[in-house]
Amino acid sequence: MQFNTTLDSIRVYEAGKPIELVVREYGIPPKSVIKLASNENPHGSSKKAIKAIKKASKEAYRYPDDSMFVLKNGLCARFGIMPSNLIIGAGSDQVLEFCVRAKCKEGSKVLMAKTTFAMYEVYAKQVGALVFRTPSDQHNLDEFKTIYKKEGADIIFLCLPNNPLGECLDRKDVYDFLREVNPETLVVIDGAYQEYAAYKDKKKKIDPTDLIERFPNAIYLGTFSKAYGLGGMRVGYGIAQEEIIGALLKMRPPFNVSTLSLVGAIESLSDKKHVDFSIRDCFDEMALYEAFAKKHKIEFIPSYTNFVTLLLDGLASSTEVSQWLLERGVIVRNLASYGMNAIRITIGGESQNRRFFKLFAKYLKKTAA
Amino acid sequence: MQFNTTLDSIRVYEAGKPIELVVREYGIPPKSVIKLASNENPHGSSKKAIKAIKKASKEAYRYPDDSMFVLKNGLCARFGIMPSNLIIGAGSDQVLEFCVRAKCKEGSKVLMAKTTFAMYEVYAKQVGALVFRTPSDQHNLDEFKTIYKKEGADIIFLCLPNNPLGECLDRKDVYDFLREVNPETLVVIDGAYQEYAAYKDKKKKIDPTDLIERFPNAIYLGTFSKAYGLGGMRVGYGIAQEEIIGALLKMRPPFNVSTLSLVGAIESLSDKKHVDFSIRDCFDEMALYEAFAKKHKIEFIPSYTNFVTLLLDGLASSTEVSQWLLERGVIVRNLASYGMNAIRITIGGESQNRRFFKLFAKYLKKTAA
């Protein structure tokens, strides 16, 4: 059967067996396996959220409130916006997808950093859009400008801070860049890790309300998957001017966020204590990663997120390291698929991080010998 | 800002405030409100599923297993299929969306009954496909054939049984029709309510495995939202030949089903007792609706689902009836938006149905007076 030709260039993402099962193949008890690969909050979900989910579980048979009335009210109060400036997705991923599908078609152009969130390209390819990337792995606005001047773009993706590398542009530089962007270009500011960046350095902080007031062609994306500890529940949001939100809402399927996900997000939003603790602890522990890297002369990218990327050129092969760690029950993200000899490690809880340090030191000692 | 012109014909679905809030405006205590509008299972979710969701709630911070290993295994065992014949979506809705996006683009053609599931048209319009409908409200395969011969189609939607009307074609007639369909046309057999139809009349039963063996251009859609009592969790699936599933998987975003939704679906699948009871009880209660309708000389469509559609021409206005019931705490679906003077009522639990009968009889008495 013939399908749209735009599908020809898309490779199906094959997740394979759950990583836990793979690890068990190495005879490691499941409880000894630690996942530092998906940037989940090692402190879990807010206890208030878990309690609310448990209480609401008997409502799993009911369709969710499709107006998302309570969650929208909470986010509007948080950001000082109107419901018409807000769209809620199954993760900010889904809002990304709405952006691409509303704005792009075959032959449209999207512009992004060389090494950034993989789904920008996947969604672009699904509609047959052309993908332009900067030469540098990390975000470099001069390179963005050069390509944009030459090619234009229907969408520009800025990942602030950037997944999977961890760097973050200054707000001032972003704003300067946005002033040169045509109002017809949709600029997606992916703030999945913004809570971390804003805590570490105020210069990185993007305020969604300020952003969309200054730049009506920008959309800010936020998520409950990282600092808010709800990665499994799939809730994210987009904040933009009504004109943009109105177009994206046309792509939103009804009931796109589950009944229990709404409940979890509403409670998480109000549990500031859990979020603040998670972020503070993340950077306390990250300092230990940095000290570890310096001690072992491993280059790393200073990170404004809840993960750190170690660059292994001249030291080890990221594929070998990842496999060696996996066989010992520690799962990290190998960035070989991004064309980099690097590993991305989620900042875990205290004992998880200690275990990583001990194990990685052992690996380095072994290879140096 | 300009968006894709295909969006121009799409109206944003405005859910408005939650129905409960509206009802509270009439001063009805929330506990007295009954929803017979969304075809949820009045017996709720499987107790096993609720228990499992509660237990797994502390895992809400973790991304779901994107391979959906356990749920896929369960569905494969149930239907005697291979994982390569299966795709899981956030409700069967999302699989519908994948079908349209993989197969259609601007100017593609889709064919459906005049009055059928509203999302077929919404998804078609999102990609700019042209929608052809039969003249009759209910499925009429002769009309399908006539239009198909004249116009052809990239996708044909058959809703078996049909939402929101409740009628169901015989399997034999469906198969006869499918033999005349070009192998390049994707035929979507929407089986959201198949469990109900198969129980009531074996002639209506579509076996997904048999279907796709005979017709490699067909896809069967199933859901956990109805008989399985998980409407709020958003889990559905598509069963088709590997060629079709392979194309749809290219449109699937990662983590499209939440961690707790997977847990709930896995447990629900194994709780045959709850499903069987729910279906049996539905038809026991439906017999009372039919007796009620006959007694009050209300025309109805014999239903193979968990709802019944009452035709009100010459008797009352569906808009007035729905509003009158709403003000008294009973929510039904007004089909005026489908161009019909009819209401669709979900078969509720025993006391809910009694309340409906009493109230509706009162309305009829009032208007007759």
Side-chain angles (χ1 to χ4, degrees), chain A residues 1-2 4 7 10 16 35 40-41 60-63 67 97 101-104 126 184 226 229 232 234 243 250 255 259, chain B residues 1-2 4 7 10 16 40-41 60-63 67 97 101-104 126 184 226 229 232 234 243 250 255 258-259:
Chain A
M1 182 178 287
Q2 285 295 313
N4 286 334
L7 270 65
I10 305 174
K35 261 177 102 174
E40 290 140 339
N41 185 334
Y61 77 104
R62 276 204 199 233
Y63 283 96
S67 74
E97 190 193 307
R101 289 175 53 206
K103 185 72 184 165
C104 298
Q126 284 183 353
E184 277 301 317
K226 307 300 174 188
R234 320 306 300 123
E243 184 194 23
K250 292 184 175 184
F255 312 124
T259 298
Chain B
M1 182 178 286
Q2 284 296 311
N4 287 334
L7 271 64
I10 306 172
E40 292 140 340
N41 185 333
Y61 76 105
R62 277 206 198 230
Y63 284 97
S67 73
E97 189 192 310
R101 289 175 52 207
K103 185 71 184 165
C104 298
Q126 284 182 353
E184 277 301 319
K226 306 299 175 189
R234 320 305 302 125
E243 184 194 25
K250 292 184 175 184
F255 311 125
S258 92
T259 298

Short mmCIF file of all heavy atoms in Angstrom, two decimals, chain A residues 1-2 4 7 10 16 35 40-41 60-63 67 97 101-104 126 184 226 229 232 234 243 250 255 259, chain B residues 1-2 4 7 10 16 40-41 60-63 67 97 101-104 126 184 226 229 232 234 243 250 255 258-259:
data_model
loop_
_atom_site.label_atom_id
_atom_site.label_comp_id
_atom_site.label_asym_id
_atom_site.label_seq_id
_atom_site.Cartn_x
_atom_site.Cartn_y
_atom_site.Cartn_z
N MET A 1 0.83 -1.20 0.00
CA MET A 1 0.00 0.00 0.00
C MET A 1 0.87 1.26 0.00
O MET A 1 1.85 1.32 0.72
CB MET A 1 -0.90 -0.02 1.25
CG MET A 1 -1.84 1.17 1.34
SD MET A 1 -2.91 1.10 2.79
CE MET A 1 -4.05 -0.20 2.30
N GLN A 2 0.47 2.22 -0.80
CA GLN A 2 1.21 3.48 -0.85
C GLN A 2 0.79 4.38 0.31
O GLN A 2 -0.40 4.52 0.60
CB GLN A 2 0.91 4.23 -2.15
CG GLN A 2 1.59 3.63 -3.38
CD GLN A 2 3.10 3.74 -3.31
OE1 GLN A 2 3.63 4.80 -3.00
NE2 GLN A 2 3.79 2.64 -3.57
N ASN A 4 1.92 8.37 2.25
CA ASN A 4 2.50 9.65 1.85
C ASN A 4 4.01 9.52 1.66
O ASN A 4 4.68 8.90 2.48
CB ASN A 4 2.20 10.73 2.91
CG ASN A 4 0.75 11.17 2.88
OD1 ASN A 4 0.09 11.09 1.85
ND2 ASN A 4 0.24 11.64 4.01
N LEU A 7 6.81 9.98 4.27
CA LEU A 7 7.18 8.96 5.25
C LEU A 7 8.47 8.22 4.86
O LEU A 7 9.10 7.59 5.71
CB LEU A 7 6.06 7.91 5.41
CG LEU A 7 4.99 8.20 6.47
CD1 LEU A 7 4.18 9.43 6.12
CD2 LEU A 7 4.07 7.00 6.64
N ILE A 10 11.53 8.73 6.97
CA ILE A 10 11.43 8.55 8.43
C ILE A 10 11.77 7.11 8.79
O ILE A 10 11.26 6.17 8.19
CB ILE A 10 9.99 8.86 8.93
CG1 ILE A 10 9.57 10.26 8.49
CG2 ILE A 10 9.92 8.73 10.46
CD1 ILE A 10 8.13 10.59 8.81
N GLY A 16 12.71 -1.47 21.26
CA GLY A 16 13.22 -2.76 21.74
C GLY A 16 12.66 -3.10 23.11
O GLY A 16 11.69 -2.50 23.57
N LYS A 35 18.76 4.06 36.60
CA LYS A 35 18.56 4.70 35.31
C LYS A 35 18.97 6.16 35.43
O LYS A 35 18.31 6.94 36.12
CB LYS A 35 17.07 4.66 34.95
CG LYS A 35 16.69 3.55 33.99
CD LYS A 35 15.20 3.53 33.76
CE LYS A 35 14.82 4.18 32.43
NZ LYS A 35 13.36 4.01 32.16
N GLU A 40 14.81 11.97 34.35
CA GLU A 40 13.67 12.00 35.27
C GLU A 40 14.14 12.60 36.60
O GLU A 40 15.34 12.59 36.90
CB GLU A 40 13.16 10.56 35.48
CG GLU A 40 12.49 10.01 34.22
CD GLU A 40 12.83 8.56 33.95
OE1 GLU A 40 13.85 8.07 34.48
OE2 GLU A 40 12.07 7.91 33.19
N ASN A 41 13.21 13.11 37.36
CA ASN A 41 13.53 13.68 38.66
C ASN A 41 13.81 12.53 39.64
O ASN A 41 12.90 11.75 39.95
CB ASN A 41 12.33 14.51 39.14
CG ASN A 41 12.61 15.25 40.44
OD1 ASN A 41 13.44 14.82 41.25
ND2 ASN A 41 11.91 16.35 40.65
N ALA A 60 -10.67 6.59 36.78
CA ALA A 60 -9.97 6.27 35.53
C ALA A 60 -10.92 5.90 34.39
O ALA A 60 -10.56 5.95 33.23
CB ALA A 60 -8.97 5.14 35.77
N TYR A 61 -12.15 5.53 34.74
CA TYR A 61 -13.11 5.15 33.70
C TYR A 61 -13.73 6.36 33.02
O TYR A 61 -14.34 6.24 31.96
CB TYR A 61 -14.22 4.28 34.30
CG TYR A 61 -15.27 5.03 35.10
CD1 TYR A 61 -16.52 5.29 34.55
CD2 TYR A 61 -15.00 5.48 36.38
CE1 TYR A 61 -17.48 5.98 35.27
CE2 TYR A 61 -15.95 6.17 37.11
CZ TYR A 61 -17.19 6.42 36.55
OH TYR A 61 -18.14 7.11 37.26
N ARG A 62 -13.58 7.52 33.63
CA ARG A 62 -14.21 8.73 33.11
C ARG A 62 -13.29 9.49 32.17
O ARG A 62 -12.13 9.72 32.49
CB ARG A 62 -14.49 9.69 34.26
CG ARG A 62 -15.75 9.42 34.98
CD ARG A 62 -16.18 10.70 35.64
NE ARG A 62 -17.12 10.45 36.69
CZ ARG A 62 -18.31 11.05 36.76
NH1 ARG A 62 -18.64 11.96 35.87
NH2 ARG A 62 -19.13 10.77 37.72
N TYR A 63 -13.84 9.97 31.08
CA TYR A 63 -13.05 10.84 30.21
C TYR A 63 -12.59 12.05 31.00
O TYR A 63 -13.30 12.54 31.88
CB TYR A 63 -13.86 11.27 28.99
CG TYR A 63 -13.94 10.16 27.97
CD1 TYR A 63 -15.04 9.31 27.93
CD2 TYR A 63 -12.90 9.93 27.09
CE1 TYR A 63 -15.10 8.26 27.02
CE2 TYR A 63 -12.95 8.89 26.19
CZ TYR A 63 -14.05 8.06 26.16
OH TYR A 63 -14.09 7.03 25.27
N SER A 67 -11.75 20.54 28.84
CA SER A 67 -11.42 21.97 28.91
C SER A 67 -10.19 22.18 29.79
O SER A 67 -9.58 23.23 29.76
CB SER A 67 -12.60 22.76 29.48
OG SER A 67 -12.72 22.53 30.88
N GLU A 97 4.66 19.08 18.26
CA GLU A 97 4.05 18.43 17.09
C GLU A 97 2.97 19.33 16.50
O GLU A 97 2.88 19.50 15.29
CB GLU A 97 3.47 17.09 17.54
CG GLU A 97 3.04 16.21 16.39
CD GLU A 97 2.18 15.03 16.86
OE1 GLU A 97 2.61 14.30 17.77
OE2 GLU A 97 1.07 14.87 16.32
N ARG A 101 2.85 20.78 12.68
CA ARG A 101 1.73 20.42 11.80
C ARG A 101 0.88 21.63 11.41
O ARG A 101 0.27 21.64 10.34
CB ARG A 101 0.87 19.34 12.45
CG ARG A 101 1.61 17.99 12.48
CD ARG A 101 0.82 16.95 13.24
NE ARG A 101 -0.52 16.84 12.73
CZ ARG A 101 -1.55 16.42 13.44
NH1 ARG A 101 -1.39 16.09 14.71
NH2 ARG A 101 -2.75 16.35 12.91
N ALA A 102 0.84 22.63 12.28
CA ALA A 102 0.03 23.81 11.96
C ALA A 102 0.78 24.75 11.01
O ALA A 102 0.17 25.42 10.18
CB ALA A 102 -0.34 24.56 13.24
N LYS A 103 2.09 24.76 11.12
CA LYS A 103 2.87 25.78 10.40
C LYS A 103 3.57 25.22 9.15
O LYS A 103 3.85 25.97 8.21
CB LYS A 103 3.91 26.34 11.39
CG LYS A 103 4.74 27.50 10.88
CD LYS A 103 3.96 28.79 10.77
CE LYS A 103 4.82 29.89 10.17
NZ LYS A 103 4.04 31.04 9.72
N CYS A 104 3.89 23.95 9.15
CA CYS A 104 4.74 23.40 8.08
C CYS A 104 4.01 22.40 7.19
O CYS A 104 3.07 21.74 7.62
CB CYS A 104 5.95 22.69 8.68
SG CYS A 104 7.03 23.77 9.62
N GLN A 126 7.94 14.29 9.36
CA GLN A 126 6.60 13.71 9.20
C GLN A 126 5.75 14.52 8.22
O GLN A 126 4.90 13.97 7.53
CB GLN A 126 5.88 13.63 10.55
CG GLN A 126 6.37 12.48 11.43
CD GLN A 126 5.61 12.37 12.73
OE1 GLN A 126 4.79 13.23 13.06
NE2 GLN A 126 5.88 11.33 13.49
N GLU A 184 6.68 36.40 10.57
CA GLU A 184 6.01 35.22 10.00
C GLU A 184 6.70 33.91 10.39
O GLU A 184 6.17 32.83 10.14
CB GLU A 184 5.94 35.33 8.47
CG GLU A 184 4.76 36.16 7.98
CD GLU A 184 3.41 35.60 8.44
OE1 GLU A 184 3.22 34.38 8.39
OE2 GLU A 184 2.56 36.40 8.86
N LYS A 226 10.05 17.12 33.99
CA LYS A 226 11.40 17.23 34.54
C LYS A 226 11.35 17.68 36.01
O LYS A 226 11.18 16.87 36.90
CB LYS A 226 12.24 18.16 33.66
CG LYS A 226 12.24 17.79 32.18
CD LYS A 226 12.80 16.39 31.95
CE LYS A 226 12.68 15.96 30.49
NZ LYS A 226 13.05 14.56 30.33
N GLY A 229 8.62 16.33 38.08
CA GLY A 229 8.63 14.90 38.44
C GLY A 229 7.47 14.08 37.93
O GLY A 229 7.03 13.14 38.59
N GLY A 232 6.23 10.31 33.52
CA GLY A 232 5.37 9.23 33.03
C GLY A 232 3.95 9.65 32.73
O GLY A 232 3.18 8.87 32.15
N ARG A 234 2.92 12.52 31.07
CA ARG A 234 2.75 13.19 29.76
C ARG A 234 1.89 14.44 29.85
O ARG A 234 0.78 14.49 29.32
CB ARG A 234 2.17 12.22 28.71
CG ARG A 234 2.72 10.80 28.75
CD ARG A 234 4.23 10.72 28.68
NE ARG A 234 4.76 11.30 27.47
CZ ARG A 234 5.65 12.30 27.45
NH1 ARG A 234 6.13 12.82 28.57
NH2 ARG A 234 6.10 12.75 26.33
N GLU A 243 -3.37 34.19 18.71
CA GLU A 243 -3.38 33.82 17.28
C GLU A 243 -2.70 32.47 17.08
O GLU A 243 -3.19 31.61 16.34
CB GLU A 243 -2.64 34.91 16.49
CG GLU A 243 -2.69 34.67 15.00
CD GLU A 243 -1.67 35.54 14.26
OE1 GLU A 243 -0.67 35.98 14.88
OE2 GLU A 243 -1.87 35.76 13.05
N LYS A 250 -6.44 23.83 16.85
CA LYS A 250 -7.09 23.10 15.75
C LYS A 250 -6.45 21.73 15.52
O LYS A 250 -7.05 20.87 14.89
CB LYS A 250 -7.02 23.94 14.47
CG LYS A 250 -7.87 25.19 14.52
CD LYS A 250 -7.85 25.93 13.20
CE LYS A 250 -8.81 27.12 13.26
NZ LYS A 250 -8.90 27.81 11.97
N PHE A 255 -9.32 15.11 24.65
CA PHE A 255 -8.86 14.19 25.70
C PHE A 255 -7.39 13.79 25.51
O PHE A 255 -7.02 12.63 25.68
CB PHE A 255 -9.73 12.92 25.74
CG PHE A 255 -11.21 13.20 25.73
CD1 PHE A 255 -12.03 12.64 24.77
CD2 PHE A 255 -11.77 14.03 26.69
CE1 PHE A 255 -13.40 12.91 24.75
CE2 PHE A 255 -13.13 14.29 26.68
CZ PHE A 255 -13.94 13.73 25.72
N THR A 259 -7.02 11.54 32.54
CA THR A 259 -7.70 11.99 33.76
C THR A 259 -6.71 12.09 34.93
O THR A 259 -6.67 13.10 35.64
CB THR A 259 -8.83 10.99 34.10
OG1 THR A 259 -9.78 11.01 33.03
CG2 THR A 259 -9.54 11.35 35.40
N MET B 1 0.03 35.82 11.86
CA MET B 1 0.94 34.79 11.33
C MET B 1 0.16 33.82 10.45
O MET B 1 -0.95 33.43 10.78
CB MET B 1 1.58 34.03 12.51
CG MET B 1 2.58 32.97 12.06
SD MET B 1 3.37 32.11 13.47
CE MET B 1 4.51 33.40 14.02
N GLN B 2 0.76 33.48 9.33
CA GLN B 2 0.12 32.51 8.42
C GLN B 2 0.36 31.09 8.90
O GLN B 2 1.48 30.75 9.27
CB GLN B 2 0.71 32.66 7.01
CG GLN B 2 0.22 33.87 6.25
CD GLN B 2 -1.27 33.80 5.96
OE1 GLN B 2 -1.76 32.79 5.48
NE2 GLN B 2 -2.00 34.87 6.29
N ASN B 4 -0.85 26.79 7.92
CA ASN B 4 -1.27 26.00 6.76
C ASN B 4 -2.72 26.31 6.40
O ASN B 4 -3.58 26.40 7.29
CB ASN B 4 -1.11 24.50 7.04
CG ASN B 4 0.35 24.07 7.03
OD1 ASN B 4 1.18 24.70 6.38
ND2 ASN B 4 0.66 23.00 7.74
N LEU B 7 -5.91 24.59 7.70
CA LEU B 7 -6.52 24.88 8.99
C LEU B 7 -7.76 25.76 8.86
O LEU B 7 -8.58 25.82 9.77
CB LEU B 7 -5.52 25.57 9.93
CG LEU B 7 -4.64 24.67 10.80
CD1 LEU B 7 -3.71 23.82 9.96
CD2 LEU B 7 -3.84 25.49 11.80
N ILE B 10 -11.12 24.30 9.68
CA ILE B 10 -11.30 23.61 10.96
C ILE B 10 -11.79 24.58 12.02
O ILE B 10 -11.25 25.67 12.18
CB ILE B 10 -9.97 22.97 11.45
CG1 ILE B 10 -9.38 22.07 10.36
CG2 ILE B 10 -10.18 22.21 12.75
CD1 ILE B 10 -8.00 21.56 10.68
N GLY B 16 -15.50 24.36 26.72
CA GLY B 16 -16.16 25.16 27.74
C GLY B 16 -15.88 24.64 29.13
O GLY B 16 -14.97 23.82 29.34
N GLU B 40 -19.17 6.07 28.96
CA GLU B 40 -18.23 5.44 29.88
C GLU B 40 -18.91 4.22 30.50
O GLU B 40 -20.13 4.14 30.56
CB GLU B 40 -17.84 6.45 30.98
CG GLU B 40 -16.99 7.60 30.41
CD GLU B 40 -17.35 8.96 31.00
OE1 GLU B 40 -18.48 9.10 31.54
OE2 GLU B 40 -16.52 9.88 30.89
N ASN B 41 -18.10 3.31 30.98
CA ASN B 41 -18.62 2.10 31.64
C ASN B 41 -19.14 2.48 33.03
O ASN B 41 -18.36 2.89 33.89
CB ASN B 41 -17.49 1.07 31.75
CG ASN B 41 -17.96 -0.26 32.30
OD1 ASN B 41 -18.94 -0.32 33.05
ND2 ASN B 41 -17.27 -1.32 31.94
N ALA B 60 5.08 7.51 38.68
CA ALA B 60 4.58 8.52 37.74
C ALA B 60 5.70 9.43 37.22
O ALA B 60 5.57 10.08 36.20
CB ALA B 60 3.49 9.37 38.40
N TYR B 61 6.83 9.47 37.94
CA TYR B 61 7.94 10.33 37.51
C TYR B 61 8.75 9.70 36.38
O TYR B 61 9.53 10.37 35.72
CB TYR B 61 8.88 10.63 38.70
CG TYR B 61 9.79 9.49 39.08
CD1 TYR B 61 11.15 9.53 38.75
CD2 TYR B 61 9.31 8.39 39.78
CE1 TYR B 61 11.99 8.48 39.10
CE2 TYR B 61 10.15 7.34 40.13
CZ TYR B 61 11.49 7.39 39.79
OH TYR B 61 12.32 6.36 40.13
N ARG B 62 8.56 8.41 36.16
CA ARG B 62 9.35 7.69 35.17
C ARG B 62 8.66 7.67 33.82
O ARG B 62 7.47 7.36 33.73
CB ARG B 62 9.47 6.22 35.59
CG ARG B 62 10.54 5.97 36.56
CD ARG B 62 10.96 4.51 36.37
NE ARG B 62 11.67 4.05 37.53
CZ ARG B 62 12.85 3.43 37.46
NH1 ARG B 62 13.39 3.20 36.28
NH2 ARG B 62 13.44 3.03 38.55
N TYR B 63 9.41 7.87 32.76
CA TYR B 63 8.85 7.71 31.43
C TYR B 63 8.33 6.29 31.27
O TYR B 63 8.89 5.35 31.82
CB TYR B 63 9.89 8.03 30.36
CG TYR B 63 10.10 9.51 30.22
CD1 TYR B 63 11.14 10.17 30.87
CD2 TYR B 63 9.21 10.27 29.47
CE1 TYR B 63 11.30 11.53 30.76
CE2 TYR B 63 9.36 11.64 29.37
CZ TYR B 63 10.41 12.27 30.01
OH TYR B 63 10.55 13.62 29.91
N SER B 67 8.41 0.68 24.50
CA SER B 67 8.16 -0.50 23.66
C SER B 67 6.80 -1.12 24.01
O SER B 67 6.27 -1.92 23.27
CB SER B 67 9.25 -1.56 23.87
OG SER B 67 9.11 -2.19 25.13
N GLU B 97 -5.85 8.98 13.92
CA GLU B 97 -5.07 10.15 13.49
C GLU B 97 -3.85 9.69 12.69
O GLU B 97 -3.53 10.27 11.65
CB GLU B 97 -4.66 10.96 14.73
CG GLU B 97 -4.04 12.29 14.40
CD GLU B 97 -3.38 12.93 15.62
OE1 GLU B 97 -4.01 13.01 16.68
OE2 GLU B 97 -2.20 13.32 15.49
N ARG B 101 -2.94 10.72 8.84
CA ARG B 101 -1.71 11.46 8.55
C ARG B 101 -0.74 10.66 7.69
O ARG B 101 0.06 11.23 6.95
CB ARG B 101 -1.05 11.92 9.84
CG ARG B 101 -1.85 13.04 10.51
CD ARG B 101 -1.29 13.41 11.85
NE ARG B 101 0.12 13.71 11.77
CZ ARG B 101 0.99 13.56 12.77
NH1 ARG B 101 0.56 13.13 13.93
NH2 ARG B 101 2.25 13.85 12.60
N ALA B 102 -0.78 9.34 7.81
CA ALA B 102 0.14 8.51 7.02
C ALA B 102 -0.37 8.35 5.59
O ALA B 102 0.42 8.25 4.65
CB ALA B 102 0.31 7.14 7.66
N LYS B 103 -1.67 8.35 5.43
CA LYS B 103 -2.25 7.99 4.13
C LYS B 103 -2.74 9.20 3.32
O LYS B 103 -2.79 9.15 2.10
CB LYS B 103 -3.43 7.02 4.39
CG LYS B 103 -4.09 6.43 3.18
CD LYS B 103 -3.23 5.41 2.46
CE LYS B 103 -3.90 4.90 1.19
NZ LYS B 103 -2.96 4.19 0.31
N CYS B 104 -3.13 10.26 4.01
CA CYS B 104 -3.79 11.38 3.32
C CYS B 104 -2.97 12.66 3.32
O CYS B 104 -2.18 12.90 4.21
CB CYS B 104 -5.14 11.68 3.98
SG CYS B 104 -6.31 10.33 3.90
N GLN B 126 -7.71 18.22 9.02
CA GLN B 126 -6.39 18.70 9.48
C GLN B 126 -5.34 18.57 8.38
O GLN B 126 -4.41 19.36 8.31
CB GLN B 126 -5.95 17.95 10.73
CG GLN B 126 -6.66 18.40 12.00
CD GLN B 126 -6.15 17.68 13.23
OE1 GLN B 126 -5.37 16.76 13.15
NE2 GLN B 126 -6.61 18.10 14.39
N GLU B 184 -5.42 -0.52 -2.59
CA GLU B 184 -4.72 0.73 -2.24
C GLU B 184 -5.54 1.61 -1.30
O GLU B 184 -5.05 2.61 -0.78
CB GLU B 184 -4.37 1.52 -3.50
CG GLU B 184 -3.08 1.05 -4.17
CD GLU B 184 -1.88 1.16 -3.22
OE1 GLU B 184 -1.76 2.14 -2.49
OE2 GLU B 184 -1.06 0.21 -3.21
N LYS B 226 -14.13 1.78 26.56
CA LYS B 226 -15.56 1.46 26.70
C LYS B 226 -15.75 0.24 27.60
O LYS B 226 -15.77 0.37 28.81
CB LYS B 226 -16.16 1.26 25.30
CG LYS B 226 -15.91 2.44 24.35
CD LYS B 226 -16.52 3.73 24.87
CE LYS B 226 -16.16 4.91 23.99
NZ LYS B 226 -16.57 6.18 24.59
N GLY B 229 -13.54 -0.03 30.54
CA GLY B 229 -13.70 0.93 31.64
C GLY B 229 -12.50 1.82 31.93
O GLY B 229 -12.26 2.18 33.08
N GLY B 232 -10.71 7.36 30.81
CA GLY B 232 -9.83 8.47 31.22
C GLY B 232 -8.36 8.22 31.00
O GLY B 232 -7.55 9.14 31.12
N ARG B 234 -6.84 6.80 28.22
CA ARG B 234 -6.42 7.00 26.83
C ARG B 234 -5.53 5.87 26.31
O ARG B 234 -4.33 6.07 26.06
CB ARG B 234 -5.72 8.36 26.65
CG ARG B 234 -6.35 9.51 27.39
CD ARG B 234 -7.82 9.73 27.08
NE ARG B 234 -8.06 9.95 25.66
CZ ARG B 234 -8.91 9.22 24.93
NH1 ARG B 234 -9.60 8.23 25.47
NH2 ARG B 234 -9.09 9.49 23.67
N GLU B 243 2.82 -4.05 6.97
CA GLU B 243 3.09 -2.92 6.08
C GLU B 243 2.37 -1.65 6.58
O GLU B 243 2.94 -0.56 6.58
CB GLU B 243 2.58 -3.29 4.68
CG GLU B 243 2.88 -2.25 3.63
CD GLU B 243 2.07 -2.47 2.36
OE1 GLU B 243 0.98 -3.09 2.42
OE2 GLU B 243 2.54 -2.01 1.31
N LYS B 250 5.59 5.27 12.09
CA LYS B 250 6.38 6.46 11.76
C LYS B 250 5.72 7.74 12.25
O LYS B 250 6.37 8.77 12.38
CB LYS B 250 6.59 6.53 10.24
CG LYS B 250 7.49 5.43 9.71
CD LYS B 250 7.76 5.60 8.23
CE LYS B 250 8.77 4.54 7.77
NZ LYS B 250 9.13 4.71 6.35
N PHE B 255 6.46 7.68 23.86
CA PHE B 255 5.77 7.85 25.14
C PHE B 255 4.35 8.36 24.95
O PHE B 255 3.89 9.25 25.67
CB PHE B 255 6.54 8.81 26.06
CG PHE B 255 8.00 8.49 26.17
CD1 PHE B 255 8.97 9.45 25.88
CD2 PHE B 255 8.42 7.23 26.55
CE1 PHE B 255 10.32 9.15 25.97
CE2 PHE B 255 9.78 6.93 26.66
CZ PHE B 255 10.74 7.89 26.37
N SER B 258 0.66 6.93 28.77
CA SER B 258 1.28 7.26 30.05
C SER B 258 1.63 5.99 30.85
O SER B 258 1.07 4.91 30.62
CB SER B 258 0.38 8.18 30.87
OG SER B 258 -0.47 7.45 31.72
N THR B 259 2.56 6.14 31.76
CA THR B 259 3.02 5.03 32.61
C THR B 259 1.85 4.34 33.31
O THR B 259 1.73 3.11 33.28
CB THR B 259 4.00 5.58 33.67
OG1 THR B 259 5.14 6.13 32.98
CG2 THR B 259 4.48 4.49 34.61
#
